[in-house]
Each structure stands twice: as C-alpha cells, then as structure tokens.
Amino acid sequence: MNTRPAEYKLPLFEKLFGEGSDEVYTAFREKAELRKLKAGDFMFRKGDAAKSVHMILSGIARMHAFPASHGSFIIRFLKEGDMAGILEAFNHLPHQYTATVHSKYLELATLEVDVFMELLRELPEFGLQVMRQVDKDASFIEMRVADIRSQRVTDRIEGMARAMKGKFGTDEKGRINIDITPGNIAQMIGATRTTVYRSLKKLEEEGIMRLQNRRIEPLKELVP
C-alpha cells in the first residue's frame, strides 16, 4: 500500500537527532519514499538486493531468518526510529534477514542507497546516529546468540522480557508495550512452543512474569 502518511513525525526526528533534526527531517521529507504497510506485509525479504535503507516512522516490525530445519527465528523487533538494511547497503550485500510488519499498520520511510550515503556525508549528526545504531544492533545480535547457546529456556524468556521492556516500555498496567504470542517467543529464543508454554507456566508460578492477552506482565521488577 503506497501512500503518504498524514504526518511526518517531526517529534520523532527531534528525539532522534536533537539539534540536527530539522535538516534530517527536511531531507527525509524531500527524498524518502513513504509507504504504509499492514500486518504481515514484507518490508524486504532475505536475499533481496539491498537497494535502500528503511526507517520506521510508526508501528513495529520483526526481523527474522529461516534456518532450514528450525523454522523462522526472530532476530529482533524494530520500532519507530529504528533503521534496517544499513549494513547491507554499506557493503553492497543482499538482505541477510526478512523484515515483516508485526503491528496492525506500519509507516515506513525508504531512502535509496546513493541518497542515504549522501545524507551521511552532508549531515554529521545523522551519520553519528546511524553508526550508534549499527554498533548497538551488532552487539544485541551477538548477545542473543550467546544467550541461546548457554541459558535455560526460562532464563532466555526472562532475558527476552527485560530486553523488550527496555525497548518498548510498559503501559499503565505494567505490561510490556508490544503484542506477542507464545509462538513469537519461541521464535525469539530458539525453543519449541510446547517448551515455551511449560516455561511460561513455571515463570508465572514463581511470581516472575506471565503472558495474558498477548502482553507480557512482569510480576516482579525486570531491570532492562
């Protein structure tokens, strides 16, 4: 669905880029392709040529891989202000993962690689923010892989919940601000749904957290 969003999220740019927000905001308005997608739509697929870099203006997406024998594996979730496809664009590689819309709707700004590289040269604050995100994303993926190799399933779920709380925050009832299913959790931590159901029950019995109506509710403090 190709459409120009009614608002271009100026407060988001001010939050991300501070004093340099006006220039980045103007550049995106003038040069980015704007799209509105719905749940289940693809931002891009693994193996596609990375001809563009994408910024989420609103909504949530998930990035996942498809190991041959283990089904889909969720690498991470993306929210407004997050960018995707940066490393592939830098290195002229195909996309390493598939990105799918997780929320009901998602607003996306897409910049062609040449335009993106030009902005990096012209707008230092934009380039600094991009580098920070690339470093953060690489560190997060390394941490996820290490956790999956070394931790019990209950520990993986609790660690996932801490990370999600830090990224999305909580609502007025203390629940983490993202709809998620046991299947999503299984895909995030590298376990079967049956194991996740059993582990969630144990975590609830121990007064740590529970999953109700697609929301994680911590039953004790989860420090991000």
Side-chain angles (χ1 to χ4, degrees):
M1 186 190 316
N2 290 321
T3 182
R4 180 169 292 273
E7 299 179 11
Y8 204 89
K9 311 297 179 185
L10 176 57
L12 172 62
F13 282 78
E14 292 174 338
K15 177 181 177 182
L16 291 174
F17 304 110
E19 293 182 0
S21 61
D22 287 346
E23 289 182 289
V24 182
Y25 173 80
T26 300
F28 267 75
R29 284 206 63 134
E30 293 177 349
K31 300 178 180 181
E33 175 191 0
L34 308 180
R35 292 186 291 159
K36 187 172 184 180
L37 308 177
K38 61 182 185 300
D41 286 348
F42 293 103
M43 286 171 50
F44 50 80
R45 302 179 194 238
K46 182 178 180 179
D48 287 349
K51 299 178 180 179
S52 303
V53 174
H54 312 271
M55 176 189 281
I56 295 178
L57 300 178
S58 67
I60 298 172
R62 57 181 184 266
M63 290 184 65
H64 44 102
F66 293 91
S69 60
H70 298 90
S72 178
F73 176 67
I74 296 176
I75 304 298
R76 62 191 178 101
F77 284 91
L78 306 171
K79 66 173 185 176
E80 63 177 28
D82 285 338
M83 301 188 73
I86 300 171
L87 285 176
E88 293 90 340
F90 278 169
N91 295 292
H92 306 287
L93 295 171
H95 286 292
Q96 304 299 296
Y97 306 107
T98 295
T100 307
V101 178
H102 183 77
S103 52
K104 188 174 181 180
Y105 295 105
L106 181 141
E107 291 179 334
L108 187 68
T110 299
L111 285 168
E112 293 182 359
V113 173
D114 290 346
V115 176
F116 176 73
M117 299 299 284
E118 182 182 341
L119 288 184
L120 291 182
R121 291 190 294 267
E122 292 179 353
L123 306 175
E125 183 59 32
F126 176 63
L128 180 60
Q129 178 69 22
V130 168
M131 292 302 100
R132 285 173 178 163
Q133 179 166 324
V134 168
D135 184 61
K136 184 178 179 181
D137 291 346
S139 298
F140 178 74
I141 291 173
E142 289 177 5
M143 179 187 68
R144 291 279 321 282
V145 172
D147 287 348
I148 288 171
R149 289 176 176 172
S150 64
Q151 292 186 346
R152 299 175 303 171
V153 172
T154 51
D155 291 336
R156 293 183 221 165
I157 294 175
E158 192 172 350
M160 178 273 300
R162 280 195 296 270
M164 300 292 270
K165 179 182 177 183
K167 186 173 186 68
F168 295 100
T170 56
D171 63 16
E172 67 281 356
K173 296 181 179 180
R175 302 173 303 176
I176 297 173
N177 275 320
I178 180 174
D179 287 346
I180 197 166
T181 67
N184 294 149
I185 295 172
Q187 291 170 340
M188 289 187 72
I189 67 168
T192 65
R193 291 191 188 190
T194 300
T195 302
V196 167
Y197 279 116
R198 185 166 59 245
S199 299
L200 285 170
K201 183 177 180 181
K202 183 177 181 181
L203 288 166
E204 183 171 359
E205 290 172 350
E206 293 177 353
I208 296 173
M209 56 176 281
R210 64 185 171 195
L211 182 67
Q212 286 191 328
N213 299 321
R214 298 169 65 97
R215 289 291 177 99
I216 294 173
E217 180 183 355
L219 300 175
K220 71 170 191 177
E221 182 66 16
L222 294 175
V223 180

